[in-house]
Amino acid sequence: MPPVFHTSTYAQKAPNEHQGYDYARVGNPTRTALEKLIAGLENADECACFASGCAAMDAIMKAMRPGDHVIASDDLYGGSYRLFTQVFEPYGIDFTFADMTDPANVSSAIRAETKMIWIETPTNPLLRIADIQAIAGIAKENGIRTAVDNTFASPYLQQPLDLGADMVMHSTTKYLGGHSDVIGGAVATSNKEVMEQLRFQVKTTGGVPGPMDCYLVLRGIKTLHVRMERSVQNAEKIARYLDEHPKTGQVFYPGLSSHRQHQLAKTQMSGFGAMVSFSLKEDTLASATRFMSNTKIFTLAESLGGVESLISHPASMTHGSIPAEVRRKTGLKDSLIRLSIGIEDVDDLIEDLKQAF
Ligand SMILES: *Cc1c(COP(=O)(O)O)cnc(C)c1O
């Protein structure tokens, strides 16, 4: 097992003669073990780990300069939206939020100043799919970098670098950690220039994970494949159950044949994931709130990707920092319910939903 190196510094033989590590903001052997593992999972040459998914995104975005332009998915994690619009926009970086279900929307948003395309797929919380290969192709033709937030799929179901993306980002808090007991982030890439910029950020701004956090994610990843198999299997059954239920309105899950990008999800991913969103037929905030207060096995909580199933209300929780009119424009209704399906017995989960109805 990889030791947990609880140290801030390393003994050196002589000034400027260290054995790979000098100071723990820059590097730690437990962190290195995690970085090598995630790089391997994403078919990347290298990986840099961070204290959270948000710290990872922050480090990526710091490669931008005032006047640069970024195109990002219009349906995306609320914290990403907040970081882009409330931290980076005031520093003079311009963002366009585009519906990436059609790559043509990305092409038409490109300007001379566009330096990065930020793809989230499947999106949070509407589970829309973007064609990574098509968008990365458009980006390459225009000399633009692509970053993919692969948190929802995990490297077990989707490998963006193989599809042409330049870097892949994770909130390791979710599926990679897998047990809702740690916060972490990672960026994997085979692009030397990108990695140099990330290492510079690690050293200079220091949003790094502690060794125990790295150890927890390392341990979580050992069972990633087993947890994903079971969670996806459960999610497929639950999506079908909800889809057939007379009291549900719309069900959002890429594994349903009625999903608009079902075919694309099938070719781009090796499984449809374990996130399911839905609305009730009685499409009001009050009835959605009642439903979310009534589940017993599904815990009402933010986050996702753990072994235990969670239920959440995106409009007030994960996406509360997105202004209501922006949420409405992308189709995120106040009555939407989001499920993160865990590895419990699926009949227990369905029984829980049944009694909540
Ligand atoms: C949770 C999440 C993040 C942010 O990661 P933290 O570890 O919470 O900072 C980014 N993107 C997606 C899709 C997420 O679900």
Side-chain angles (χ1 to χ4, degrees):
M1 295 301 114
V4 183
F5 286 86
H6 280 293
T7 184
S8 61
T9 191
Y10 307 87
Q12 303 189 16
K13 278 204 158 62
N16 229 351
E17 203 185 305
H18 63 76
Q19 294 155 57
Y21 298 94
D22 53 1
Y23 186 61
R25 184 186 339 105
V26 183
N28 176 296
T30 318
R31 199 196 311 162
T32 304
L34 178 61
E35 292 178 339
K36 286 195 167 145
L37 180 57
I38 296 176
L41 292 175
E42 287 289 2
N43 292 329
D45 287 347
E46 286 182 90
C47 167
C49 282
F50 293 88
S52 69
C54 285
M57 291 191 283
D58 182 66
I60 292 173
M61 282 302 158
K62 280 185 179 139
M64 300 293 104
R65 291 291 172 261
D68 286 352
H69 174 241
V70 177
I71 304 168
S73 304
D74 63 349
D75 180 37
L76 85 170
Y77 173 59
S80 312
Y81 184 86
R82 181 176 53 205
L83 178 71
F84 296 166
T85 58
Q86 294 189 46
V87 174
F88 286 100
E89 260 180 8
Y91 281 116
I93 293 145
D94 213 10
F95 289 84
T96 298
F97 296 94
D99 174 0
M100 293 200 183
T101 57
D102 183 356
N105 294 335
V106 176
S107 296
S108 60
I110 292 175
R111 308 179 197 156
E113 302 79 30
T114 309
K115 292 284 158 59
M116 186 174 317
I117 296 174
W118 184 271
I119 306 172
E120 194 176 298
T121 183
T123 62
N124 181 0
L126 292 167
L127 286 316
R128 291 176 182 154
I129 310 289
D131 188 331
I132 298 171
Q133 195 158 28
I135 296 172
I138 294 166
K140 276 216 168 64
E141 278 170 23
N142 291 277
I144 302 167
R145 282 180 189 170
T146 38
V148 176
D149 184 339
N150 203 25
T151 300
F152 261 38
S154 90
Y156 187 65
L157 302 179
Q158 175 171 281
Q159 286 153 331
L161 299 188
D162 291 353
L163 298 167
D166 294 300
M167 65 196 105
V168 52
M169 170 256 154
H170 279 283
S171 165
T172 58
T173 311
K174 317 295 167 54
Y175 290 104
L176 293 176
H179 297 77
S180 310
D181 55 6
V182 64
I183 296 279
V187 187
T189 182
S190 297
N191 182 318
K192 292 229 162 355
E193 197 190 341
V194 168
M195 190 41 74
E196 238 166 67
Q197 285 169 351
L198 290 169
R199 294 273 179 230
F200 178 78
Q201 288 302 329
V202 164
K203 181 165 81 178
T204 308
T205 61
V208 296
M212 193 62 206
D213 292 348
C214 294
Y215 173 82
L216 286 170
V217 180
L218 275 164
R219 186 158 78 166
I221 290 174
K222 286 175 199 283
T223 54
L224 176 69
H225 60 303
V226 187
R227 290 184 284 106
M228 288 313 292
E229 290 281 351
R230 177 61 173 262
S231 297
V232 172
Q233 221 175 49
N234 283 356
E236 283 176 358
K237 283 187 190 149
I238 286 167
R240 237 175 293 128
Y241 166 77
L242 290 171
D243 200 37
E244 286 161 10
H245 201 286
K247 286 189 177 169
T248 51
Q250 240 181 316
V251 179
F252 303 88
Y253 183 66
L256 293 172
S257 54
S258 57
H259 188 283
R260 268 175 44 222
Q261 291 102 31
H262 177 63
Q263 283 310 321
L264 173 60
K266 228 174 169 168
T267 53
Q268 182 163 281
M269 306 170 74
S270 61
F272 300 109
M275 298 300 294
V276 182
S277 294
F278 69 103
S279 61
L280 296 171
K281 182 148 274 167
E282 194 187 303
D283 200 3
T284 64
L285 177 58
S287 50
T289 303
R290 206 171 330 117
F291 188 94
M292 287 180 281
S293 310
N294 280 346
T295 56
K296 295 186 167 76
I297 299 174
F298 282 90
T299 303
L300 179 63
E302 302 215 8
S303 201
L304 61 121
V307 292
E308 53 289 295
S309 294
L310 303 180
I311 188 165
S312 75
H313 180 229
S316 74
M317 296 165 82
T318 46
H319 293 67
S321 56
I322 300 178
E325 65 279 6
V326 178
R327 287 201 309 264
R328 252 167 246 136
K329 231 178 78 196
T330 58
L332 202 183
K333 289 198 211 168
D334 284 354
S335 53
L336 190 79
I337 299 168
R338 192 189 79 176
L339 303 176
S340 169
I341 310 296
I343 65 168
E344 302 94 332
D345 188 307
V346 72
D347 293 335
D348 287 347
L349 294 175
I350 288 175
E351 198 57 42
D352 191 29
L353 295 172
K354 194 188 246 172
Q355 64 82 30
F357 277 118

